[in-house]
Amino acid sequence: MTDADVHPISELRERYKLNSKQAVYDRIDALGFKPVARGKISSDQLEILDRLDKHIKAGGAIADFPIIPEVEVPALDKLDRPLDNPQELVTDDARATIEGLAALVGAIAQSLQPPQPPLAAYEDLEKAVERGWILPTSKVKELIGISPRTKKGDKYFQWGSFTFVKVGKLGAETGWQVGRN
């Protein structure tokens, strides 16, 4: 993705003449968009946001905004004759719709993750105990739902039947040795 394909979210408040940054993020959240880079959206997302802005300014609500616009169907006389160039049937609106749909499908696929078994985190912690793995804080938080914290001077954090011991650094994060009580 080139710089021309990404747009700063910070410029959208002025672009749409909105009173707050929150109004911009409300629109982005309502459409289910995830920034493609920190504080940036794609050209496809910007195009959909532009359409949403027109929809709202015409009296529509975010809730009734059709993310995928209606596709213009070519007249039947164009379909009844052989085509020298099949691309002539694809209008700019249809092309934008296809690109928007592709972006939407990509976002949905990215957000779908297979459900984890209820005890998967415990099984992963057991593996860490058995194999002597040292886990970074972010992985511990992912497994137990909270970041391990110790009191000043302590090296131990207790969670259920597991003990996490500070053992140094893994990159910029604290490394934790997992043990059982």
Side-chain angles (χ1 to χ4, degrees), residues 92-161:
D92 287 340
D93 285 342
R95 191 170 290 109
T97 299
I98 292 166
E99 290 169 1
L101 184 57
L104 182 61
V105 168
I108 291 170
Q110 195 173 32
S111 70
L112 293 178
Q113 294 179 353
Q116 292 292 326
L119 300 177
Y122 291 96
E123 292 169 358
D124 290 343
L125 290 170
E126 284 292 340
K127 280 185 197 174
V129 170
E130 292 169 10
R131 298 177 184 173
W133 293 338
I134 297 172
L135 304 177
T137 300
S138 60
K139 186 64 176 174
V140 173
K141 181 178 181 182
E142 181 184 321
L143 290 169
I144 67 173
I146 59 172
S147 290
R149 299 210 189 279
T150 60
K151 294 179 183 174
K152 190 170 184 162
D154 284 347
K155 289 187 168 206
Y156 300 94
F157 172 76
Q158 182 80 32
W159 185 80
S161 59

Side-chain angles (χ1 to χ4, degrees), residues 22-94:
Q22 186 59 48
V24 172
Y25 283 99
D26 288 345
R27 291 180 180 193
I28 291 171
D29 292 343
L31 295 173
F33 290 164
K34 301 282 186 245
V36 294
R38 184 176 174 97
K40 297 186 180 201
I41 59 171
S42 70
S43 294
D44 293 336
Q45 292 170 326
L46 179 64
E47 185 177 318
I48 294 170
L49 281 165
D50 286 346
R51 287 196 351 257
L52 173 61
D53 187 61
K54 288 179 188 173
H55 174 78
I56 291 170
K57 288 184 175 156
I62 293 175
D64 64 6
F65 175 68
I67 292 178
I68 302 171
E70 294 181 17
V71 177
E72 181 182 314
V73 178
L76 287 178
D77 64 323
K78 287 186 178 180
L79 297 175
D80 290 341
R81 63 180 171 76
L83 297 175
D84 296 330
N85 179 10
Q87 288 297 319
E88 70 186 67
L89 285 177
V90 180
T91 65
D92 287 340
D93 285 342

